[in-house]
């Protein structure tokens, strides 16, 4: 049996990530692995909440709300840390999620990346792409993807 000692848990705070968090907790408990939690925020892929539309001034909205979103994400990351049996580190990074997750895993020497997958299909998948698919293809360590129930 492979013993995972360094786990990188990537989250986007979706229901799939909540399921993946349970898996990361289990690996942490069973293997006593250290856990790094990362959230990568991609401002170029951000969709503002309604009633904003393509005609709305997205730049103004982002300027007003980006710091709130960043603080909420950082707070959520800290809260996730209470789930684990060993000390964890949290990372809040901006950029392209797939690339940043793979780079952080290499930098940290992670044995395993655990992350949720949204299971997008059709045009949404074509235009948005798949972070999980990119990470599985590019990572030099094992990757465990978890689907939402």
């Amino acid at each position: 049996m492979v013993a995972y000692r360094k786990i990188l848990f990537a989250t986007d705070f979706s229901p799939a990530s909540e399921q993946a968090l349970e898996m990361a907790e289990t690996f942490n408990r069973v293997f006593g692995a250290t856990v790094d939690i990362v959230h990568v925020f991609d401002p170029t892929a951000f969709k503002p909440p309604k009633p904003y539309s393509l005609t709305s001034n997205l730049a103004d909205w982002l300027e007003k709300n980006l710091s709130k979103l960043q603080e909420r994400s950082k707070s959520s990351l800290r809260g996730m840390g209470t789930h684990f049996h060993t000390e964890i580190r949290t990372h809040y990074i901006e950029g392209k999620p797939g690339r940043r997750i793979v780079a952080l895993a290499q930098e940290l020497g992670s044995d395993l990346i655990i992350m949720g997958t949204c299971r997008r299909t059709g045009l949404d998948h074509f235009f948005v792409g798949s972070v999980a698919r990119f990470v599985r293809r590019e990572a030099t360590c094992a990757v465990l993807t978890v689907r939402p129930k």
Side-chain angles (χ1 to χ4, degrees):
M1 175 185 262
V2 176
Y4 296 103
R5 297 288 175 219
K6 293 182 179 182
I7 296 172
L8 178 62
F9 168 63
T11 182
D12 62 0
F13 308 113
S14 67
S17 286
E18 290 177 23
Q19 298 290 319
L21 175 62
E22 293 176 17
M23 193 67 67
E25 291 171 352
T26 301
F27 276 76
N28 171 248
R29 192 171 44 255
V30 170
F31 295 110
T34 61
V35 177
D36 284 270
I37 303 174
V38 62
H39 173 68
V40 181
F41 179 74
D42 183 0
T44 63
F46 182 72
K47 295 178 187 175
K50 293 185 174 22
Y52 288 88
S53 67
L54 293 175
T55 59
S56 298
N57 191 340
L58 180 59
D60 287 345
W61 188 90
L62 279 174
E63 185 177 320
K64 290 177 188 173
N65 292 284
L66 189 58
S67 64
K68 291 177 191 174
L69 291 169
Q70 290 170 334
E71 278 310 308
R72 192 174 330 154
S73 295
K74 290 174 185 176
S75 176
S76 295
L77 287 172
R78 287 189 294 273
M80 285 181 175
T82 63
H83 293 268
F84 295 95
H85 299 286
T86 58
E87 189 170 332
I88 60 102
R89 294 177 293 187
T90 59
H91 308 269
Y92 178 84
I93 305 170
E94 291 189 21
K96 294 292 181 188
R99 294 184 194 290
R100 298 303 299 260
I101 291 166
V102 169
L104 183 61
Q106 289 175 337
E107 178 185 321
L108 297 172
S110 300
D111 303 313
L112 175 66
I113 299 170
I114 298 177
M115 62 190 302
T117 181
C118 296
R119 302 290 297 162
R120 287 189 175 105
T121 59
L123 286 176
D124 193 34
H125 177 74
F126 178 76
F127 287 112
V128 175
S130 171
V131 173
R133 184 180 60 186
F134 180 89
V135 171
R136 282 193 314 261
R137 187 178 63 241
E138 299 295 325
T140 57
C141 63
V143 178
L144 174 62
T145 56
V146 180
R147 292 185 205 175
K149 291 181 181 175

